Amino acid sequence: MLLTQDEAFWKSAWVTIKYACISVPLAIVFGVALAMLLNVHVKGIAFFRTIFYLPSIVPTVATSVLWIWLLNPNPNIGLINRLMGLFGIQGPAWLNTAPWAFYSLVFMALWGVGGSMVIYLAGLKDIPVYLYEAAVLDGASVWMKARHVTLPMLTPVIFFNLVMGIIGAFQTFTQAYVITPGGGPQDSTLFYSLYLYIRAWKYLDMGYASAMAWVLFIVIVVMTA
């Protein structure tokens, strides 16, 4: 029944997979770029590192409430639509329409990229300086140093954040539950964990929810391996 008759099961699985395929690569790209940007020796850089890191330690519920306000479709309330209105752009109903509700959660995922940024920054600090010196002697440009020195040496850290990002994406629940309870418009934010919660506590079908939990566990183990 779970795999053959429940359309919501496959819908939630697809939403979760799509979310992972979009949010995880974006988080890696933004995290690495931000870490490289903050890996400079200038006065006050510690302040900026702290500013970018702070959103990652804010409780998820508080962050979700903040984004509900930011993405409010009423330009008199929602900050993002108000700013878009200054340029003559009519902002969409972020959380009330099917495509935008999903991508709003993707945007929100990038809000906490500061957590991975710190790990990338630590990896950058471990790259030997003599590799950059040798690259400079060979006439390497900034882009060539990033491509042939920084990224290859940062590969283990990127791989670690990739695995952790996939695990976190497959377990996405709180944001969807707070911002778009019930799965959002047209079930566009019906994540797997949210559907599991609905089966368990709305329909009180604990056996069904337990089966879904085992499927999620197996999928995460296989993806991690």
Side-chain angles (χ1 to χ4, degrees):
M1 179 180 178
L2 176 64
L3 300 177
T4 59
Q5 300 181 17
D6 190 354
E7 294 183 0
F9 169 82
W10 292 107
K11 174 70 174 180
S12 64
W14 167 243
V15 169
T16 305
I17 293 172
K18 183 171 69 170
Y19 177 81
C21 291
I22 297 176
S23 65
V24 174
L26 285 177
I28 292 176
V29 171
F30 277 90
V32 172
L34 189 59
M36 294 178 65
L37 184 64
L38 296 177
N39 188 35
V40 293
H41 300 284
V42 297
K43 186 177 181 180
I45 192 64
F47 170 77
F48 291 99
R49 292 173 182 170
T50 303
I51 292 299
F52 283 106
Y53 176 70
L54 281 177
S56 65
I57 62 175
V58 176
T60 308
V61 174
T63 302
S64 300
V65 173
L66 172 64
W67 277 88
I68 291 175
W69 167 66
L70 291 174
L71 297 174
N72 192 301
N74 188 339
N76 295 323
I77 301 176
L79 179 61
I80 293 180
N81 278 8
R82 181 184 299 178
L83 293 177
M84 294 176 66
L86 296 178
F87 298 94
I89 303 174
Q90 183 177 359
W94 296 96
L95 304 178
N96 300 327
T97 54
W100 288 110
F102 173 81
Y103 290 108
S104 296
L105 295 183
V106 174
F107 296 151
M108 180 180 169
L110 299 179
W111 173 264
V113 77
S116 62
M117 178 269 296
V118 172
I119 301 177
Y120 291 127
L121 194 58
L124 290 173
K125 296 296 183 182
D126 286 338
I127 299 177
V129 178
Y130 65 82
L131 294 179
Y132 292 107
E133 295 174 349
V136 171
L137 293 176
D138 289 337
S141 62
V142 175
W143 166 248
M144 293 178 66
K145 286 190 293 183
R147 179 182 177 184
H148 297 289
V149 179
T150 303
L151 292 181
M153 295 299 294
L154 205 61
T155 300
V157 181
I158 295 176
F159 179 72
F160 170 78
N161 278 322
L162 172 64
V163 174
M164 298 303 295
I166 292 174
I167 294 174
F170 272 86
Q171 294 178 334
T172 300
F173 168 75
T174 306
Q175 304 94 310
Y177 178 75
V178 175
I179 296 179
T180 55
Q186 302 179 21
D187 291 334
S188 59
T189 59
L190 184 64
F191 288 88
Y192 191 93
S193 296
L194 178 59
Y195 182 55
L196 190 156
Y197 173 86
I198 292 174
R199 296 295 307 196
W201 299 108
K202 183 177 180 180
Y203 299 111
L204 298 178
D205 196 348
M206 296 298 176
Y208 199 96
S210 297
M212 290 185 61
W214 272 104
V215 171
L216 179 61
F217 170 74
I218 294 173
V219 170
I220 290 179
V221 168
V222 171
M223 292 294 294
T224 303

